[in-house]
Amino acid sequence: MQKQKRGFWLFIFSLIPGAGEMYMGFKKQGISIMFLFWGVFAIGACTGMDWLVFLIPIIWFYSFFNVHNLKSLSEEEFYSVDDNYVLHMDQFSGDIGKFLQKHRNTTAWILILFGICILWSRFTSLLYLIVPYDLEDYV
């Protein structure tokens, strides 16, 4: 049950991506924002794709301003807001097989690109171990 809240605790929870939405009763929104935030962080850290870090502040700002936007709504508008997953993730969960079948080539290219990025990261780190990068020692 969502309940319109205001005050100190709402501000504190709005600083954590997804927690403010969950505090206000929007569980699906909060879980999906938290999943996006920490998922992007984990994928970037585990795979060496540091360029994904630019998404983290975008997700954080979206969450922060979404909570304060929900807080500023009138009671009628607030209670008319549906608790949906961000990026409509619930549509994918029911028919993920159909979705992957329909977009098989796109999914394959995304996974291939993802694998190439991981391999390139590992290759460059191995190359730095083999080839000395401090040439001042050899001059």
Side-chain angles (χ1 to χ4, degrees):
M1 174 70 187
Q2 56 198 48
K3 183 179 177 193
Q4 193 169 16
K5 299 182 180 184
R6 292 181 167 79
F8 176 74
W9 287 111
L10 181 64
F11 176 74
I12 295 300
F13 285 123
S14 71
L15 296 174
I16 303 167
E21 284 87 355
M22 287 192 280
Y23 179 67
M24 295 181 84
F26 296 100
K27 305 294 186 212
K28 291 179 182 178
Q29 282 184 18
I31 292 289
S32 60
I33 290 172
M34 224 177 244
F35 177 76
L36 277 173
F37 183 83
W38 292 110
V40 166
F41 183 79
I43 289 171
C46 293
T47 62
M49 294 191 301
D50 298 331
W51 55 270
L52 284 175
V53 172
F54 85 93
L55 291 173
I56 291 174
I58 293 170
I59 298 168
W60 186 88
F61 278 111
Y62 173 79
S63 175
F64 182 81
F65 288 113
N66 185 41
V67 169
H68 291 282
N69 182 39
L70 290 171
K71 177 183 80 167
S72 68
L73 294 175
S74 68
E75 283 192 40
E76 302 86 41
E77 292 173 326
F78 180 81
Y79 290 115
S80 68
V81 174
D82 291 330
D83 185 19
N84 293 325
Y85 290 104
V86 176
L87 302 178
H88 303 288
M89 293 177 190
D90 53 342
Q91 293 176 355
F92 298 126
S93 63
D95 54 354
I96 191 74
K98 287 182 189 177
F99 177 79
L100 291 176
Q101 187 70 22
K102 184 177 179 182
H103 302 289
R104 179 184 294 178
N105 289 338
T106 306
T107 305
W109 280 109
I110 289 171
L111 290 174
I112 289 169
L113 183 63
F114 188 69
I116 289 171
C117 289
I118 293 171
L119 288 174
W120 180 256
S121 173
R122 300 300 177 214
F123 174 73
T124 55
S125 63
L126 180 64
L127 193 62
Y128 284 133
L129 289 174
I130 297 170
V131 177
Y133 54 89
D134 190 15
L135 297 177
E136 293 177 5
D137 294 338
Y138 298 100
V139 177

